């Protein structure tokens, strides 16, 4: 069983930074890929970045490359999303999700955290 809890959202001015955290409770974290999704009002939920442990693997959507960094701690229980140079278009609810490594679908979801970027 996997449980995910997000934290770190908030209000920030354009050009600012935020770091989101996803606390991962799993029996064997290396068996899972953890992704950050976001959903803005009236839009679909999109994958922003993903991370897997051992060997480390990362993925970024084109819209965030060079601005966002995803990482996981050595304990295998937290995944971070460092967001720099935030833009108003980054405003959304951000969700942490997990899927079995190599799997197609994200099957475990956190409750979401709001990120609002003011221009």
């Amino acid at each position: 069983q996997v449980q995910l809890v997000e934290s770190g959202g908030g209000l920030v001015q354009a050009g600012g930074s935020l770091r989101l955290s996803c606390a991962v409770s799993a029996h064997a974290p290396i068996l899972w890929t953890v992704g950050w999704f976001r959903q803005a009002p009236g839009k679909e939920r999109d994958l922003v970045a993903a991370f897997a442990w051992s060997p480390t693997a990362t993925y970024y959507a084109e819209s965030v490359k060079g601005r966002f960094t995803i990482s996981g701690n050595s304990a295998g229980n937290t995944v971070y999303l460092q967001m720099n140079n935030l833009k108003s278009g980054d405003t959304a609810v951000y969700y942490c999700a997990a899927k079995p490594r190599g799997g197609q679908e994200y099957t475990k979801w956190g409750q979401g955290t709001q990120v609002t970027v003011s221009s």
Side-chain angles (χ1 to χ4, degrees), residues 8-110:
L11 173 65
V12 64
Q13 288 188 334
S17 299
L18 279 177
R19 188 176 80 159
L20 305 182
S21 299
C22 175
V24 181
S25 176
H27 175 64
I30 64 171
L31 298 180
W32 297 86
T33 295
V34 177
W36 282 99
F37 288 74
R38 67 185 181 187
Q39 187 169 24
K43 295 189 176 181
E44 293 186 353
R45 188 175 298 186
D46 293 323
L47 178 63
V48 173
F51 177 86
W53 283 276
S54 193
T56 299
T58 57
Y59 162 85
Y60 295 96
E62 283 296 325
S63 58
V64 305
K65 280 183 179 178
R67 300 189 298 122
F68 291 11
T69 302
I70 192 168
S71 61
N73 67 350
S74 58
N77 58 14
T78 307
V79 173
Y80 303 99
L81 185 68
Q82 177 67 43
M83 305 185 294
N84 298 328
N85 190 21
L86 283 161
K87 305 175 181 180
S88 57
D90 296 318
T91 294
V93 178
Y94 283 70
Y95 297 90
C96 179
K99 65 174 182 175
R101 189 159 186 168
Q104 297 299 313
E105 292 187 20
Y106 285 84
T107 57
K108 308 296 183 182
W109 293 85

